[in-house]
Amino acid sequence: MNFTNKNVIIVGGSQGIGLATAKAFIQHGAIVLITGRNAETLQKAAEEINSPNLQTLAADTSNMNGIAKLEKWVAEGGKKVDVLYLNAAIGVYAAIQDVTEAEFDAQFNTNVKGHFFTLQKLIPHLADASSVIFTSSRVATAAGVTSSVYSASKAALNKIADVAVNELAERKIRVNIVSPGPIQTPGLLSVVSKEIQNFLASRSALQRLGNADEVANTVLFLASDGAAYINGADIAVDGGSIQYMLK
Ligand SMILES: NC(=O)c1ccc[n+]([C@@H]2O[C@H](COP(=O)([O-])OP(=O)(O)OC[C@H]3O[C@@H](n4cnc5c(N)ncnc54)[C@H](OP(=O)(O)O)[C@@H]3O)[C@@H](O)[C@H]2O)c1
C-alpha cells in the first residue's frame, strides 16, 4: 500500500486504534493530522511517532466549536483530504434505569453528532475519489446489558455511514465502516477488569483480544487502491464470533 503524500485526518488519533492507524499511515508515506481533546496526550503521541509527516490539533469533536477548529485548520492548509477517519468515541456503561442525561448526551455528542457534523463540514474539502472510514463496533448489532446508549450510538453511526455511501458516490468518494471487537487499547483497559478481558477473549473464536495494529491494518486496506471497489462495507475485526454446537 502506498499513501505517499496523501493527506489523512484521524479524528481521535492520540491513542489506541487512532494512534496505531496514524503510525501505519505514516509508515506508508502519508501526511497525517491526528486530533484529540487532551493536548498532552497529543504531544506524547507526536513524540512517539516522531515524524515530520505528523501534525496534531487539540479539538473536541463533540461540539461545533471543536469541529469548526478542525475545518479552519483544513481550509487554511489548502490541501484536499484523501482519507478521513472518524474514530473518536466514548463509552459509559450503565443499565437503562441508571443512565443520566449527561451520560447519554456525552456519548451521542461524541460518537454520533461529532462525526456527522465533521463529515458535513469537511465534505467540501474531501478530494474526489477519497475515502471516509468510520469506526463503529460489533456492539452496534448486539444487545449487551449496560450498553444501551453506546450500542445505540454506534448503530446510529452505521446508518449515517450507509446514507453517506449514496450521497457521496457522485464524487466517487467511498465510505466504509470498521467494526472492532474487543481491542487492547487504553480506552478498553481503563474500563474493563482483567476478569472481563478474559471473558471477552473467550467469546472470540481466536480466543484472544485484538490489538490496535490489527484494526489499523484494516483501515489502511479500506483506504487503499486495493479496496477501490469496496464501498458501504462494514468489516468486523473481532477474531470471529465463537459458535458452539451441542453434541
Ligand atoms: N477498544 C475496543 O475494544 C473497541 C471495540 C469496538 C469499537 N471501538 C471503537 O474504536 C474507536 C477507538 O477506540 P479506542 O479503544 O482506541 O479508544 P481510546 O483508547 O479511548 O482512544 C480514543 C481516542 O479518541 C479521542 N477522543 C475521545 N473523545 C474525543 C472528542 N470528543 N474529540 C476528539 N477526540 C476524542 C481520544 O483522545 P482524548 O481523550 O484526548 O480526546 C483518543 O485519542 C472508538 O470509536 C471505539 O468506540 C473500540
Side-chain angles (χ1 to χ4, degrees):
M1 288 181 287
N2 183 1
F3 291 100
T4 304
N5 293 330
K6 295 289 183 191
N7 294 304
V8 176
I9 292 180
I10 303 178
V11 174
S14 59
Q15 66 175 36
I17 291 167
L19 178 61
T21 308
K23 280 182 196 165
F25 271 120
I26 283 179
Q27 279 162 7
H28 289 81
I31 298 159
V32 178
L33 173 77
I34 56 172
T35 75
R37 291 163 300 179
N38 187 312
E40 279 175 28
T41 317
L42 283 165
Q43 177 61 28
K44 214 170 133 230
E47 284 164 13
E48 195 177 323
I49 291 183
N50 190 24
S51 165
N53 280 6
L54 181 80
Q55 291 168 293
T56 65
L57 181 73
D60 184 345
T61 202
S62 71
N63 65 65
M64 297 307 280
N65 288 340
I67 294 169
K69 194 173 172 186
L70 174 60
E71 186 194 4
K72 186 165 179 272
W73 187 96
V74 174
E76 286 179 357
K79 289 183 185 150
K80 290 289 184 191
V81 177
D82 298 298
V83 180
L84 174 61
Y85 181 30
L86 297 162
N87 172 67
I90 54 169
V92 182
Y93 302 92
I96 292 171
Q97 64 197 16
D98 298 326
V99 173
T100 66
E101 184 181 8
E103 288 166 348
F104 185 100
D105 286 347
Q107 289 174 91
F108 266 77
N109 285 344
T110 302
N111 306 2
V112 184
K113 179 183 168 187
H115 294 319
F116 180 89
F117 284 105
T118 301
L119 176 61
Q120 180 193 75
K121 301 297 179 196
L122 293 191
I123 283 174
H125 302 286
L126 293 176
D128 288 348
S130 57
S131 176
V132 177
I133 298 163
F134 291 87
T135 306
S136 182
S137 169
R138 292 292 281 147
V139 305
T141 51
V145 294
T146 75
S147 75
S148 58
V149 181
Y150 178 68
S151 294
S153 74
K154 293 298 191 177
L157 190 67
N158 285 1
K159 190 49 66 185
I160 292 166
D162 288 348
V163 175
V165 170
N166 292 320
E167 292 193 2
L168 301 181
E170 200 174 30
R171 291 177 53 205
K172 311 299 179 206
I173 296 169
R174 295 182 298 110
V175 182
N176 289 293
I177 298 168
V178 59
S179 288
I183 307 294
Q184 297 180 72
T185 64
L188 182 80
L189 300 182
S190 67
V191 293
V192 165
S193 68
K194 189 72 192 156
E195 190 187 356
I196 301 283
Q197 287 172 42
N198 290 340
F199 169 75
L200 292 171
S202 76
R203 303 298 297 163
S204 159
L206 294 183
Q207 297 288 293
R208 66 171 176 86
L209 300 179
N211 63 62
D213 292 338
E214 291 168 324
V215 182
N217 291 339
T218 309
V219 175
L220 261 72
F221 169 65
L222 286 172
S224 73
D225 291 343
Y229 201 51
I230 299 181
N231 193 15
D234 178 357
I235 299 193
V237 185
D238 66 350
S241 300
I242 197 152
Q243 307 282 331
Y244 292 103
M245 292 266 293
L246 294 177
K247 287 188 181 165

